[in-house]
Amino acid sequence: MSSKISQQWAVFARMWYLLDAAKQPPGRIARAVIPLLQGKHKPIYHPLSDVGDHVVVINTHQIAFSQNKWRTKIYKHHTGYPGGYSETPAFRMHEKDSTVIVKKAIYGMLPKDLRRHQMMQRLHLFPDENIPDDIRANICEQIKPPREVPKSLPEYSEEDRATFPRLWYPMDPEAER
Amino acid sequence: MTSGSSSAFLRSALQNGIGRYVCQLQRLTLQFSKTAGSAKGVRDFVEQDIVGFAEKNPQVVLYVTPHTKYTFPKVVAEFLNGTRRKVDLSNLSREDIIKEVELLRTQSGVDIERIRKQWHTDSPSVQGYWHPFYNKPTQLNQETFPTANPTHSEVRMPRLPKLTQELIGELKELKDKGKYENS
Amino acid sequence: MVYLSTVRLIRARGPPKYWKKKFVFDQTSHFFGRRRNCYSIAIRALHKAWRSAYIGRKIKKREIRRLWIQRISSGVMEHGMRYSPFIGNLTKYNIQLDRKMLANLAITEPKTFKCLAELAKTKHEEGLLAAVQAYPDRVLLRQTSQDDLLESVKKLRLSTEEKTSSSNQLT
């Protein structure tokens, strides 16, 4: 029977995934991370067996909100005492702790049961690229960023800019005539 | 119901019958009274059938123990795996006793329990179990993280098959044809 | 084992009230508080337990099927496919494996499962190609190269120039 056990030991091995959060919206980050935390990407998935993986998210300082959500998105909190209500806009939240927005987004999207705390323990958030060496040594695979990382104009080379297709030329002297 | 009856998975005694068959019944002890009316069938069985049974099954040890101390006639069967099974034979006819003994002879001695599943295999996986590294690209072994070429992504089904240059040309021709025909 | 049946039979003669209650209490022996030992509460609790057990027997089938589908879906995702087209295209090949067996294959025989996924994928792509060739006008070409893009831009510019020139002529 021991030979059977040795066949199975790798089945429940935990993977460590890395995600670069630079220029990614927090909701899209959460969507990419949650199935991995739950273990829903494995064919051995069962809601009662603890098969979720670890996810390391770096560069959470550089997350991107669309529109003016930095001002309009408000995190509400009530302590339970009279006058204990507080409202914090997203940009203030980000100033205090730049991992907390991603953390809240993921925490809110996970299923609301006792497993949620275990899953959150398997989530590791870092505001920049610095990861402790013991965590870096575990990482097995990197997740593709859910949104295509936009490039700014200076990041394109001269050739790219010259060959980029255009519909019209703003300074074309022939068109002015 | 609530207390829960014992249950087991499907099994056979040492895969009996796959290579060769070994009779699992080792000993049969017939215990009956010489005089009691409830043991009439057993006495008939002993007189008429027991010699034939013993000749046919030399591997089974038979004990015939008539004695007045037995309050009811019974047969005690002992199997190769150590199971001991008593069967009450009171008021049974000779034909019924033949059936009971035949049943004991063909049994495996495994306890009769509720079977949880109707199938069983000793080797559930031939190709080896799935594990998280099974379908991963091998170059991940040499990668340092964070990398410029991440591999894991959510699946987006292709709306079109991978378009080769030939296919694009072909499609364009088709498209142009369609335009001219319409106009 | 303690054999109490004979003792109880002697004690409880007459109408079968005792046995009726015993039937109930045997089944409520694991309930909490007075639901276990007080008859009028226990019988109500037992009726409710029967009702939920009846419902549970139906739900169990649904739940297990949901689990199979989840497992197949996650197994198929590893090979760049999704559940719905996977199942649909297997039926086109007349592969009559049910969801239970497919889920088992995904765990115990991963290579067989990979072949099934590839099979469904090719069939899916074939179907798309056939659709493209039938209605080329309705298909938006997506993965075009940059040269194609440039060509189309040029065409656009030419047509706009023509239009402007023609409008000039008219005026």
Side-chain angles (χ1 to χ4, degrees):
Chain A
M1 270 293 136
S2 58
S3 59
K4 294 283 161 55
I5 293 163
S6 64
Q7 280 175 16
Q8 285 186 21
W9 73 268
V11 174
F12 297 97
R14 287 209 201 279
M15 291 279 281
W16 285 65
Y17 289 95
L18 181 76
L19 176 61
D20 190 352
K23 297 176 185 174
Q24 302 298 317
R28 296 282 293 276
I29 293 172
R31 275 259 163 272
V33 162
I34 278 164
L36 300 175
L37 291 176
Q38 284 181 291
K40 280 201 171 185
H41 60 302
K42 297 181 176 181
I44 54 165
Y45 172 77
H46 190 276
L48 297 181
S49 59
D50 191 14
V51 290
D53 285 337
H54 288 264
V55 181
V56 183
V57 184
I58 55 169
N59 289 332
T60 53
H61 190 70
Q62 299 176 37
I63 52 167
F65 268 124
S66 64
Q67 298 172 351
N68 57 350
K69 277 181 204 151
W70 284 114
R71 279 193 294 110
T72 52
K73 187 169 174 56
I74 285 166
Y75 291 92
K76 292 158 188 169
H77 181 69
H78 203 294
T79 57
Y81 291 101
Y85 181 61
S86 69
E87 286 181 341
T88 320
F91 75 92
R92 280 217 192 288
M93 221 52 170
H94 203 60
E95 277 169 14
K96 281 179 194 166
D97 183 356
S98 48
T99 59
V100 78
I101 288 177
V102 178
K103 191 178 177 183
K104 274 179 178 292
I106 293 171
Y107 187 77
M109 277 196 208
L110 281 171
K112 275 74 181 168
D113 52 22
L114 295 175
R115 291 171 290 159
R116 180 155 65 152
H117 296 284
Q118 290 182 343
M119 291 174 200
M120 287 305 286
Q121 280 177 345
R122 267 183 251 121
L123 178 72
H124 312 273
L125 298 166
F126 297 99
D128 46 16
E129 281 197 341
N130 301 326
I131 316 172
D133 286 341
D134 55 339
I135 289 181
R136 191 189 290 274
N138 286 331
I139 292 167
C140 327
E141 197 171 2
Q142 190 167 349
I143 309 166
K144 271 182 195 165
R147 196 181 82 171
E148 203 179 327
V149 182
K151 252 181 171 179
S152 58
L153 196 60
E155 284 172 36
Y156 284 98
S157 65
E158 282 290 328
E159 284 179 21
D160 285 343
R161 266 183 267 175
T163 52
F164 197 82
R166 305 180 191 195
L167 279 178
W168 52 279
Y169 295 96
M171 297 300 288
D172 197 351
E174 285 178 24
E176 279 174 15
R177 249 179 246 164
Chain B
M1 207 184 287
T2 49
S3 55
S5 57
S6 64
S7 58
F9 290 101
L10 197 64
R11 65 179 187 273
S12 71
L14 299 169
Q15 302 184 336
N16 193 16
I18 289 175
R20 68 198 174 107
Y21 175 74
V22 176
C23 182
Q24 298 290 303
L25 182 66
Q26 288 295 293
R27 267 174 230 109
L28 269 184
T29 314
L30 281 162
Q31 302 174 342
F32 59 96
S33 164
K34 280 182 184 176
T35 51
S38 63
K40 173 80 168 53
V42 184
R43 287 197 294 275
D44 289 348
F45 177 74
V46 170
E47 281 164 17
Q48 298 174 30
D49 304 305
I50 201 129
V51 178
F53 180 82
E55 278 172 356
K56 266 189 194 169
N57 304 290
Q59 72 277 12
V60 181
V61 184
L62 262 173
Y63 298 98
V64 181
T65 55
H67 200 281
T68 42
K69 71 178 176 183
Y70 298 125
T71 47
F72 63 92
K74 57 180 174 290
V75 60
V76 183
E78 284 174 58
F79 292 91
L80 204 57
N81 64 352
T83 314
R84 204 152 175 273
R85 198 167 285 161
K86 290 178 190 174
V87 181
D88 182 3
L89 299 177
S90 53
N91 297 323
L92 290 187
S93 66
R94 189 187 131 230
E95 286 76 26
D96 289 343
I97 290 166
I98 290 172
K99 280 179 195 165
E100 289 286 353
V101 170
E102 188 64 18
L103 179 64
L104 288 172
R105 189 182 67 78
T106 48
Q107 271 179 340
S108 70
V110 175
D111 283 342
I112 294 168
E113 283 170 325
R114 183 173 65 83
I115 297 171
R116 289 200 189 173
K117 281 175 182 167
Q118 295 295 322
W119 46 266
H120 170 77
T121 171
D122 279 334
S123 49
S125 171
V126 178
Q127 298 163 1
Y129 286 95
W130 175 93
H131 53 80
F133 310 99
Y134 205 97
N135 294 311
K136 297 289 177 200
T138 44
Q139 71 261 23
L140 287 176
N141 288 324
Q142 297 179 332
E143 201 81 73
T144 50
F145 296 100
T147 153
N149 306 313
T151 40
H152 187 277
S153 69
E154 198 190 347
V155 176
R156 296 206 184 95
M157 283 306 293
R159 291 209 174 161
L160 278 174
K162 262 194 180 173
L163 290 178
T164 55
Q165 287 300 321
E166 289 174 27
L167 191 59
I168 290 172
E170 194 186 325
L171 288 172
K172 268 184 187 166
E173 273 178 28
L174 281 166
K175 254 189 167 178
D176 292 343
K177 260 189 201 171
K179 270 178 198 168
Y180 294 132
E181 277 167 16
N182 286 340
S183 57
Chain C
M1 281 291 279
V2 186
Y3 295 101
L4 292 172
S5 305
T6 41
V7 182
R8 284 170 175 163
L9 259 173
I10 294 159
R11 268 189 216 156
R13 266 170 284 183
K17 204 165 86 180
Y18 169 80
W19 297 103
K20 207 173 104 186
K21 286 189 177 178
K22 193 180 170 301
F23 174 71
V24 171
F25 288 140
D26 276 356
Q27 294 177 65
T28 59
S29 59
H30 63 297
F31 287 6
F32 180 80
R34 290 197 296 164
R35 290 150 68 87
R36 182 200 322 235
N37 287 330
C38 295
Y39 182 76
S40 60
I41 300 172
I43 188 80
R44 261 180 273 155
L46 183 63
H47 284 168
K48 186 159 192 208
W50 281 348
R51 234 175 295 143
S52 23
Y54 176 76
I55 297 166
R57 264 175 267 138
K58 318 262 160 186
I59 290 176
K60 187 182 173 188
K61 295 172 182 67
R62 276 176 244 157
E63 291 278 304
I64 288 178
R65 192 183 162 91
R66 266 181 67 188
L67 181 66
W68 291 334
I69 289 174
Q70 172 67 50
R71 284 182 168 178
I72 295 168
S73 146
S74 46
V76 136
M77 290 254 225
E78 284 194 325
H79 309 300
M81 192 69 185
R82 278 196 180 268
Y83 170 76
S84 163
F86 172 71
I87 289 283
N89 285 300
L90 281 193
T91 49
K92 277 178 200 165
Y93 274 121
N94 202 18
I95 295 172
Q96 295 176 349
L97 289 169
D98 58 356
R99 282 155 188 79
K100 179 185 173 185
M101 284 346 282
L102 284 172
N104 275 345
L105 284 180
I107 299 169
T108 55
E109 314 290 347
K111 281 174 187 165
T112 311
F113 191 76
K114 188 185 178 184
C115 293
L116 287 173
E118 301 275 314
L119 204 64
K121 202 174 181 180
T122 45
K123 186 80 177 170
H124 182 66
E125 289 183 353
E126 274 172 23
L128 282 172
L129 195 61
V132 168
Q133 281 163 352
Y135 304 103
D137 276 355
R138 300 184 199 172
V139 177
L140 183 72
L141 284 180
R142 283 192 143 197
Q143 302 168 1
T144 46
S145 63
Q146 209 166 19
D147 297 333
D148 296 328
L149 212 67
L150 277 171
E151 265 179 39
S152 55
V153 168
K154 274 179 195 167
K155 271 183 194 170
L156 260 174
R157 284 184 70 200
L158 280 172
S159 61
T160 46
E161 276 170 15
E162 277 171 18
K163 267 181 192 173
T164 47
S165 58
S166 60
S167 59
N168 286 335
Q169 280 172 4
L170 278 172
T171 49

